[in-house]
C-alpha cells in the first residue's frame, strides 16, 4: 500500500507542477522520478542509473520513429499532401463520418503497428481532417488514439497479446478472432467519447496553408496515391514483418522472410517513408528540402524529451515490488475475468507500460487458470482479453503514449487528461463488460 500511496502522490504532484506552476514536463518528471526512487528505498546510484536507462530504452524503441514521423508530417503539411489525403477521405465518407473514419483507421493500423508509431504516422491526417471538417483537433486525435489503442492491447501480432497467448497456452488464431471482435466496442466507445467529451476541448488544427494558398504556390497539389504513399508504405512494410514473425512462419525462414523482417522494422520502414515523402517536394521548393527536414527534427526535440522522461518515471516504478503486493491482496479473490482485469489495471496505472502490465499479469494468472474455471480454449482467450482491457486502463503521465498523443495534438497536460486518460478509462471498462458478458453466455 505504501508504494501505491507514493505513486499517487507523485502523479498528483506532477499534475500540479505542470498544470498550475507551468513547469516543463521534462523537468518535472525527471525530478519526481528521482524522488520516488529515493523515497521508496532505492539506492541513489541505482536511481540515477534507472532514470538514465528508462530514458534510453524509450529512445531506443521510438526515438528514431518519432523523428522520422515528424519529418514526414512536416513535409506532408508543407507540400499539401496532408490536405489531399483529408479531402480524399472526406470525399469518400463525408464530413459527418470523418471522426468514425479516423477511429476505424486507427483500429486497422493498430493491428500491425505499435500505437505510438501509428499515431506519429497518422497524426498529419488527423490534423488535416480536423481542419477540413471544421472540428477540434482534440476530437480527431482522441478518435485516432482510441482506435490504435484498442487493437494494440487486444489483437496479436502486437507483442503484448502474443506474449500472453504463449504464457497462457491460448490458441493464437482464436485470440486474433476474439480480439478483433472485442476491440470493436472499445473503438466505438473511443469514437463516442471523442464526439461527446473531446469536442469540448477546443484545439485549432493550425494548418500552415489553405488549399487555395498551396495551389497558388505550387500550381497543383500532389495526387492522392502519391500523398498517401509515405504513410501507407511504412504500414505495409510493418504489416509484412508482423506476418513474417508469426509462429507458423507463413513466409518460411528464407531470404524473403529476412527481408520482410528487416524492412518491416519500424525504424527502417519510417526511414523509407521519409525518402518517399521527399519525392513530394516540388522542384521549385527543392532548395527548402534540408530546411523542412531540419524543422521536423527540431519540432521532435520537445516530444523526445518529454517521452524520455516518461520512460524514466516508468522505469523507476517498475523497480518497485508492485506485482508481489498486488498478488498477495487480490489473487485469492474469485471474481472470474474481473480478477486479471483489476491486476492489469493496477499495474498499468502504476507502471505506465501496457505491454509490461500484460506480460506480468499473465505470468501471475497462468497458475490459476484451472482454479478460476477458465482453462478451456475460449476461457484462456477471454483471460487475455480481460488483461488487455486492464492494460489500457488508464493512460496517464507515466505512459509514453500519453505524451505522444498530447504532444502531436497540441494538448496541454490538463487537456490530455480529459481526452486521453478519460477515453482510455472508458475503453477499458467497456471492454471488460463485453468480455464479462461473453464469459456468461459461452462459458
Amino acid at each position: 500500500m505504501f508504494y501505491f500511496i507514493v505513486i499517487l502522490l507523485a502523479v498528483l504532484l506532477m499534475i500540479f507542477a505542470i498544470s498550475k506552476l507551468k513547469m516543463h514536463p521534462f523537468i518535472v518528471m525527471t525530478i519526481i522520478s528521482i524522488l520516488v526512487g529515493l523515497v521508496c528505498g532505492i539506492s541513489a546510484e541505482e536511481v540515477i542509473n534507472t532514470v538514465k536507462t528508462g530514458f534510453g530504452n524509450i529512445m531506443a524503441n521510438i526515438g528514431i520513429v518519432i523523428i522520422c514521423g515528424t519529418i514526414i508530417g512536416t513535409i506532408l503539411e508543407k507540400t499539401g499532401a496532408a490536405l489531399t489525403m483529408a479531402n480524399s477521405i472526406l470525399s469518400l465518407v463525408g464530413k459527418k463520418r470523418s471522426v468514425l473514419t479516423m477511429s476505424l483507421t486507427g483500429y486497422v493500423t493498430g493491428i500491425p503497428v505499435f500505437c505510438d508509431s501509428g499515431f506519429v504516422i497518422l497524426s498529419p491526417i488527423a490534423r488535416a481532417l480536423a481542419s477540413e471538417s471544421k472540428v477540434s483537433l482534440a476530437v480527431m486525435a482522441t478518435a485516432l488514439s482510441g482506435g490504435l489503442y484498442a487493437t494494440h492491447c487486444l489483437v496479436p501480432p502486437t507483442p503484448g497479446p502474443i506474449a500472453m497467448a504463449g504464457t497462457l497456452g491460448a490458441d493464437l488464431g482464436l485470440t486474433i478472432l476474439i480480439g478483433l471482435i472485442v476491440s470493436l466496442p472499445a473503438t466505438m466507445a473511443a469514437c463516442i467519447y471523442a464526439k461527446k467529451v473531446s469536442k469540448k476541448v477546443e484545439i485549432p488544427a493550425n494548418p500552415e496553408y489553405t488549399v487555395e494558398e498551396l495551389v497558388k504556390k505550387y500550381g497543383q497539389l500532389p495526387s492522392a496515391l502519391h500523398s498517401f504513399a509515405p504513410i501507407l508504405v511504412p504500414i505495409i512494410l510493418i504489416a509484412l514483418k508482423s506476418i513474417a514473425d508469426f509462429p507458423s512462419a507463413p513466409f518460411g525462414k528464407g531470404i524473403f522472410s529476412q527481408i520482410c523482417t528487416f524492412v518491416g522494422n519500424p525504424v527502417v520502414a519510417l526511414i523509407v517513408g521519409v525518402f518517399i515523402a521527399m519525392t513530394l517536394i516540388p522542384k521549385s521548393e527543392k532548395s527548402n528540402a534540408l530546411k523542412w527536414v531540419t524543422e521536423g527534427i527540431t519540432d521532435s526535440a520537445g516530444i523526445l524529451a518529454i517521452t524520455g522522461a516518461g520512460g524514466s518515471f516508468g522505469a523507476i516504478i517498475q523497480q518497485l515490488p508492485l506485482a508481489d503486493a498486488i498478488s498477495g491482496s487480490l489473487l485469492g479473490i474469485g471474481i472470474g475475468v474481473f480478477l486479471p482485469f483489476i491486476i492489469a489495471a493496477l499495474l498499468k496505472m502504476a507502471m505506465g507500460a501496457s505491454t509490461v502490465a500484460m506480460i506480468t499479469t499473465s505470468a501471475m494468472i497462468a497458475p490459476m487458470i484451472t482454479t478460476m474455471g477458465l482453462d478451456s480454449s475460449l476461457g484462456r482467450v477471454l483471460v487475455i482479453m480481460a488483461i488487455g482491457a486492464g492494460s489500457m486502463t488508464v493512460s496517464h503521465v507515466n505512459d509514453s503514449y500519453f505524451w505522444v498523443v498530447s504532444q502531436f495534438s497540441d494538448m496541454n497536460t490538463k487537456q490530455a487528461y480529459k481526452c486521453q486518460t478519460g477515453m482510455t478509462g472508458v475503453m477499458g471498462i467497456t471492454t471488460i463488460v463485453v468480455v464479462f458478458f461473453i464469459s456468461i453466455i459461452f462459458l
Side-chain angles (χ1 to χ4, degrees), residues 134-138 198-205 415:
K134 302 295 189 293
V135 300
S136 169
L137 178 58
S198 295
K199 75 172 184 178
K200 299 175 184 177
V201 178
E202 188 56 45
I203 301 177
Q415 292 169 331

Side-chain angles (χ1 to χ4, degrees), residues 312-332:
S312 296
F313 183 58
I316 288 289
I317 301 304
Q318 289 173 38
Q319 292 291 312
L320 308 180
L322 295 172
D324 294 337
I326 291 173
S327 63
S329 57
L330 287 178
L331 287 181

Side-chain angles (χ1 to χ4, degrees), residues 90 94-100 102 125-143 194-195 198-207 409:
L90 291 176
K95 292 184 178 181
K96 291 183 178 180
R97 292 189 293 273
S98 60
V99 180
L100 174 61
M102 201 76 261
I125 297 181
R127 189 178 293 272
L129 269 179
S131 175
E132 292 297 296
S133 302
K134 302 295 189 293
V135 300
S136 169
L137 178 58
V139 175
M140 288 298 177
T142 303
K195 290 181 176 181
S198 295
K199 75 172 184 178
K200 299 175 184 177
V201 178
E202 188 56 45
I203 301 177
N206 286 331
S409 308

Side-chain angles (χ1 to χ4, degrees), residues 40 42 45 98 120 154 224 233 278 283 330 392 400 403 410:
C40 291
I42 303 174
E45 185 177 357
S98 60
V120 172
L154 297 169
V233 171
M278 291 180 73
K283 290 182 179 180
L330 287 178
M392 66 172 69
S400 63
W403 295 110
D410 302 340

Side-chain angles (χ1 to χ4, degrees), residues 13 19 33 40 42 48 59 64 122 124 135 143 154 172 188 198 265 293 338 366 422 426:
L13 182 57
S19 302
S33 298
C40 291
I42 303 174
I48 298 302
M59 290 299 100
I64 295 176
L122 295 172
V135 300
L154 297 169
L172 190 58
M188 293 303 101
S198 295
N265 183 290
V293 171
F338 285 102
V426 169

